[in-house]
Amino acid sequence: MLNPALKKPAIGDYDQTLAWISLILLGIGLVMVYSASIAIAEAGKLTAQQPAYYLIRHTAFLAFGIFLGTLAFQFPMRVWQKLSPMLFVFGAVLLVIVLIPGIGREVNGSQRWLPFGIVNLQPSEFMKLFVVIYAADYTVRKAGHMHSLCKGFLPMLAVMLSIGGLLLAEPDFGAFAVIAVIAMGILFLGGMNWKLFAGLIAMLAAGFFGLIVSSPYRLQRVVNFMDPWSDPYGKGYQLSHALIAFGRGEWFGVGLGGSIEKQLYLPEAHTDFLLAIIAEELGFAGVALVIGLFAWLVLRAFAIGRQAATLERYFSSLVAQGIGLWLGVQAIINMGVNMGVLPTKGLTLPLLSFGGSAIAANCIALAVLLRIDRENRQLKKGYAV
């Protein structure tokens, strides 16, 4: 029986292990972004040839992300559920705006950013969080129809295809893949009929194959991924240098700051290929530490989700597990790309890579996860939430 009079649980009443894992990953990211970006900052005109340019910006992104996370932590999960449709529509509108010529900013052939003075907003990063919240709310609302093709599956499919179309128009195939996995995973965890789920997997596989075959640059990426050494100075340049970085690192690395690949050899060393620099400077031990921390974070997310389900907080349960899916799948894809076991995609390593939108979205997601855990603890102790 809940006691409404008990409204102020202890300040430390949250998953401190999860908080520390998150802070350690953010800290590793800050150190490694600085190490990986010194050469490119010194060589770039836009960076005023200041070695600490990316360090200063990443520190500011972290501070802002933690501020947004602290703010997000204050909102009860019932508020997030109520706002879920509006957040999803807001994210979709941003994805439309970013495609408008003259508004969205194009970089390396992709139009994914909205310029706001000294910073750029990447709507697809926040859309990942909005899809987690919206899909969880949809699954709870449609719980009685999860075995129905027309009432349970097709409406969500139509919505996700529309979002996927906007992402592919940028193009941002990586974000589309992550969002598809998030939506599919949450529907499955919410009780979707296994036959429908199997059909969905088959449709997604066929769709991804069609997108790859129909796009010359995507097909070329797959071909180069299979044999990067066939064109090490051309299409296989990024992957071949990432593999060289892994090879140089061996067991314990060449030492922090000692990377050769970050000296303008490996493109995107401080963003998409940060793990390769970690491998070179910190070796197998550093990579294993990062993988272990991500595995621990994902396990905690699913444990929090299961606990919420036992307390009959099904929306919170699906949100927690959806966040775990998002961060885990994106980390796996990024690590796979860096190690040469997946084709190159423009996906950053969550919590570590340079990027303001990604850091902000990740911090908000972790704050929501901590909020779910705190409400679980409150309910178990008889507090009102």
Side-chain angles (χ1 to χ4, degrees):
M1 188 71 180
L2 298 181
N3 184 354
L6 300 175
K7 295 183 181 295
K8 293 184 179 180
I11 293 176
D13 198 13
Y14 60 89
D15 191 329
Q16 296 189 31
T17 299
L18 175 62
W20 277 110
I21 293 170
S22 305
L23 289 173
I24 291 171
L25 283 170
L26 290 171
I28 293 173
L30 179 64
V31 173
M32 294 310 303
V33 163
Y34 179 43
S35 178
S37 65
I38 292 175
I40 191 173
E42 288 179 333
K45 294 180 180 180
L46 295 177
T47 60
Q49 298 180 337
Q50 295 295 321
Y53 176 84
Y54 289 103
L55 171 65
I56 294 170
R57 288 178 66 85
H58 196 69
T59 302
F61 293 153
L62 280 178
F64 187 59
I66 292 172
F67 166 75
L68 290 178
T70 303
L71 189 64
F73 183 77
Q74 309 307 316
F75 291 92
M77 291 309 298
R78 63 177 180 275
V79 175
W80 287 104
Q81 186 170 11
K82 184 177 180 180
L83 293 175
S84 61
M86 289 178 280
L87 290 173
F88 186 80
V89 171
F90 174 68
V93 170
L94 289 180
L95 290 179
V96 172
I97 293 174
V98 80
L99 294 173
I100 299 175
I103 296 180
R105 183 186 178 192
E106 184 175 331
V107 178
N108 296 329
S110 297
Q111 193 163 318
R112 305 176 185 175
W113 296 269
L114 292 173
F116 289 95
I118 61 174
V119 297
N120 297 308
L121 176 69
Q122 189 172 356
S124 60
E125 292 295 339
F126 292 96
M127 197 64 203
K128 295 168 187 173
L129 174 62
F130 298 158
V131 165
V132 169
I133 296 171
Y134 177 78
D137 177 57
Y138 176 88
T139 304
V140 170
R141 285 188 288 109
K142 298 283 187 176
H145 302 293
M146 280 294 103
H147 293 276
S148 170
L149 176 66
C150 295
K151 294 182 179 180
F153 171 63
L154 290 182
M156 176 60 79
L157 177 64
V159 171
M160 288 301 112
L161 286 177
S162 64
I163 296 301
L166 292 172
L167 290 170
L168 291 175
E170 296 183 1
D172 194 346
F173 185 76
F176 171 59
V178 172
I179 283 175
V181 170
I182 291 170
M184 181 177 67
I186 289 177
L187 287 174
F188 177 73
L189 292 168
M192 174 187 281
N193 182 290
W194 70 268
K195 293 181 180 179
L196 289 178
F197 184 71
L200 175 59
I201 291 178
M203 288 174 58
L204 282 174
F208 285 143
F209 178 77
L211 287 170
I212 291 171
V213 173
S214 64
S215 175
Y217 88 92
R218 292 194 189 105
L219 184 60
Q220 191 63 50
R221 281 186 172 183
V222 173
V223 171
N224 294 325
F225 142 73
M226 295 176 70
D227 186 11
W229 305 108
S230 63
D231 188 14
Y233 298 106
K235 299 296 184 180
Y237 184 82
Q238 273 186 310
L239 180 52
S240 61
H241 278 277
L243 294 176
I244 290 171
F246 270 87
R248 290 193 75 245
E250 298 185 349
W251 288 100
F252 298 104
V254 297
L256 185 63
S259 168
I260 296 297
E261 288 301 321
K262 70 183 181 184
Q263 304 294 330
L264 305 183
Y265 290 104
L266 178 60
E268 311 298 338
H270 60 305
T271 54
D272 298 358
F273 284 89
L274 185 66
L275 187 71
I277 303 302
I278 293 174
E280 186 177 6
E281 296 192 348
L282 304 180
F284 175 81
V287 174
L289 173 63
V290 170
I291 293 174
L293 288 170
F294 270 110
W296 200 352
L297 188 153
V298 172
L299 288 173
R300 287 305 308 144
F302 274 83
I304 290 169
R306 287 195 300 270
Q307 187 179 54
T310 61
L311 295 170
E312 299 183 351
R313 304 178 63 236
Y314 300 114
F315 170 74
S316 295
S317 173
L318 291 174
V319 169
Q321 294 176 86
I323 291 171
L325 270 176
W326 162 23
L327 298 178
V329 167
Q330 184 164 330
I332 289 171
I333 293 175
N334 177 273
M335 292 174 184
V337 167
N338 275 254
M339 296 177 187
V341 296
L342 290 174
T344 303
K345 296 306 314 155
L347 281 175
T348 57
L349 187 58
L351 302 172
L352 276 81
S353 294
F354 177 82
S357 297
I359 289 294
N362 294 163
C363 287
I364 294 171
L366 289 171
V368 171
L369 190 56
L370 287 168
R371 178 72 198 197
I372 294 170
D373 176 73
R374 190 185 195 199
E375 291 187 3
N376 288 347
R377 294 168 187 252
Q378 287 179 253
L379 283 172
K380 290 179 69 176
K381 293 180 179 180
Y383 291 106
V385 297

